[in-house]
Amino acid sequence: MRGQWRWVVVGVLLVLGALASSGAVWLHWRACTGPQVSTADWVYAEDPGPVLGDACLQAMDDGFSFLYPDGKGPFRPEALFGLALALLVAASWAVVLLSRTWRRSTRAAGALTLGLVLLVAVLGLQPRSGAMDRVFTPVQLVLGLSVLLTLVLVLVQDAGSARDRARAALALCGPAAVGFVAFAADYSLMVTISEADWDTPPWTGTPTVVATALAGIAVLILSGRRRRPAPAEAVTGTA
C-alpha cells in the first residue's frame, strides 16, 4: 500500500504541473482572446493581423516556451508558472526514482533526467543573452534525449512489474514537458492545426498541458486498488 501511495503522489504532482502550465499558456495567449476572435480566426486565417490584433501578433512574434530566458523579467507571472511546472514535474520524477529499486543504469539515467529538469528551471530564471541562447537550447535537447534513454531502459531493461513500468513511462511525460523534444512536437502540431503561424501559432503549449494532465490521470488510474481474488473456500470431504 505504501508503494501505491507514492504513485498517487506522482499522479497528483503531474496534474498540478499541468495546471501550472495551463496558467503559463493562458497568460501568454490571453491577448488572442475576446469576443471579436473566434477559433476559426486563428485556425484558418493566413493573414491574422486585422482580426487578432497587435497584442496577439506580438505574442506570436515572441514565441512560447514554458521555460526560456526571454529578457522580459524572470519573475513575471508567466515565467513563474513555467518554473512551477518544472519544479512539480521534478518532484514527481524524484518520487518515481524512490518508488522502487531500479537497476543501476535506469536509476543513473533517471537521476540525469531529474538534474537536467532542475538545470533548465534555473537557467530559465537567468537574463537572456547570446551566451545563454547557446547554452539553453542544447540543455533542453539533452534533456529530451535523456528522457528517451530513460524510457527505453524502463521499458526494456528494468525487471519491475508491467504496471510499474507503465506508470514510470507515463511519469516521464513530466520531465519531457520542459524539454526540446516536447516543444518541437507541440509546435509542429499547432502549425499543422493553425494557418496563423508567424512565428508561433496562438495557444502553442496546449498539447503539452493536455498530455501532462492525461499522463497524471493515467498514473492515478493505474494506482487504484486492485480487487483481490476471494480466498479459496476450504473443501471438506469424508474419508
Side-chain angles (χ1 to χ4, degrees):
M1 179 61 68
R2 182 180 177 184
Q4 297 301 318
W5 277 109
R6 287 182 178 178
W7 286 109
V8 170
V9 171
V10 171
V12 170
L13 288 172
L14 286 174
V15 172
L16 291 176
L19 290 175
S21 62
S22 68
V25 171
W26 167 253
L27 288 175
H28 187 86
W29 297 115
R30 60 182 174 176
C32 299
T33 63
Q36 77 283 3
V37 179
S38 67
T39 302
D41 291 328
W42 61 266
V43 171
Y44 300 111
E46 295 184 6
D47 182 13
V51 177
L52 300 182
D54 292 340
C56 182
L57 295 182
Q58 184 61 53
M60 294 165 66
D61 287 338
D62 290 343
F64 177 80
S65 177
F66 292 109
L67 287 163
Y68 198 86
D70 57 10
K72 293 182 178 180
F75 298 105
R76 69 191 194 285
E78 180 183 328
L80 291 178
F81 274 118
L83 176 63
L85 165 65
L87 295 179
L88 286 166
V89 299
S92 71
W93 185 242
V95 175
V96 172
L97 290 178
L98 296 173
S99 64
R100 59 182 303 276
T101 302
W102 302 98
R103 289 194 177 185
R104 184 175 300 177
S105 56
T106 305
R107 185 175 293 277
L112 175 62
T113 297
L114 176 60
L116 288 170
V117 171
L118 295 175
L119 178 59
V120 166
V122 171
L123 292 178
L125 295 177
Q126 305 306 308
R128 186 169 187 178
S129 64
M132 183 58 65
D133 286 344
R134 290 190 293 272
V135 170
F136 192 83
T137 299
V139 170
Q140 278 194 314
L141 180 58
V142 173
L143 170 58
L145 295 175
S146 177
V147 169
L148 292 176
L149 173 61
T150 305
L151 177 63
V152 171
L153 292 175
V154 166
L155 295 179
V156 176
Q157 177 177 291
D158 196 79
S161 68
R163 191 158 73 146
D164 276 355
R165 292 199 300 271
R167 289 184 293 197
L170 288 166
L172 278 169
C173 289
V178 296
F180 181 80
V181 175
F183 169 76
D186 193 312
Y187 176 82
S188 299
L189 177 60
M190 294 305 295
V191 167
T192 302
I193 294 174
S194 175
E195 296 289 341
D197 55 1
W198 50 304
D199 290 323
T200 306
W203 303 107
T204 294
T206 302
T208 299
V209 173
V210 173
T212 305
L214 291 178
I217 293 170
V219 170
L220 290 173
I221 292 174
L222 288 174
S223 301
R225 294 185 63 181
R226 289 182 293 183
R227 185 178 179 181
R228 295 182 179 179
E233 295 182 0
V235 179
T236 60
T238 58

